[in-house]
Amino acid sequence: MISKLVVNVDGGARGNPGPAAIGVVVSDLDGTVIDEVAERIGVATNNVAEWRALLKGIERAQALGAREIELISDSELVARQLTGAYKVKHESMKPLHAEALAALRGFDSWRIRNVRRAHNARADELVNEALDAAA
């Protein structure tokens, strides 16, 4: 059983809103990639895509049996909203925020870390691969 996983997530849209996609990279503590997701999500804003990526990352970690999760995102907004540092004001984000918090209750512990895009490169590549495949 996998006790802890590291999950890099990214979402993006070409146009805001526009064609959108998510990228998720699930790794063990040694950095070995266990799972990747590159998926188009239809038309969405950048922020919705970031939240959808986070939800997909949580879902994949649960499916792999993780008890602890470290989420890594280059979206400061999502990271701070998830921890409660920022309020979720936009109506379309509130259900996504609530869904993420509910899903995270299934873990023994979790944390989210905000990083620069360069430190989230593979998840960003997956977003672009999914968007390019649609073009």
Side-chain angles (χ1 to χ4, degrees):
M1 178 145 177
I2 299 169
S3 65
K4 184 173 182 178
L5 291 174
V6 177
V7 183
N8 290 68
V9 297
D10 195 20
R14 293 190 177 154
N16 201 20
I22 61 171
V24 176
V25 181
V26 182
S27 307
D28 66 17
L29 294 179
D30 295 325
T32 302
V33 175
I34 298 169
D35 189 26
E36 289 187 334
V37 176
E39 185 177 288
R40 288 176 284 157
I41 59 167
V43 174
T45 64
N46 282 314
N47 289 338
V48 166
E50 293 282 6
W51 276 105
R52 296 274 304 276
L54 181 87
L55 288 165
K56 179 62 78 170
I58 293 168
E59 173 189 306
R60 296 305 307 139
Q62 286 173 327
L64 290 164
R67 298 305 314 140
E68 298 176 56
I69 185 173
E70 178 177 8
L71 298 158
I72 298 174
S73 171
D74 59 29
S75 171
E76 179 181 351
L77 179 69
V78 168
R80 298 213 176 193
Q81 286 179 331
L82 190 65
T83 62
Y86 291 172
K87 287 188 184 290
V88 180
K89 295 179 183 176
H90 200 282
E91 287 304 316
S92 66
M93 303 300 142
K94 288 180 180 182
L96 299 170
H97 176 258
E99 186 178 343
L101 288 177
L104 287 168
R105 283 194 280 276
F107 293 93
D108 293 339
S109 68
W110 65 270
R111 73 180 207 141
I112 187 164
R113 200 163 37 103
N114 176 236
V115 297
R116 290 197 167 123
R117 179 172 288 166
H119 297 286
N120 204 28
R122 182 60 185 148
D124 183 60
E125 286 173 15
L126 291 168
V127 169
N128 286 302
E129 286 174 16
L131 289 170
D132 292 343

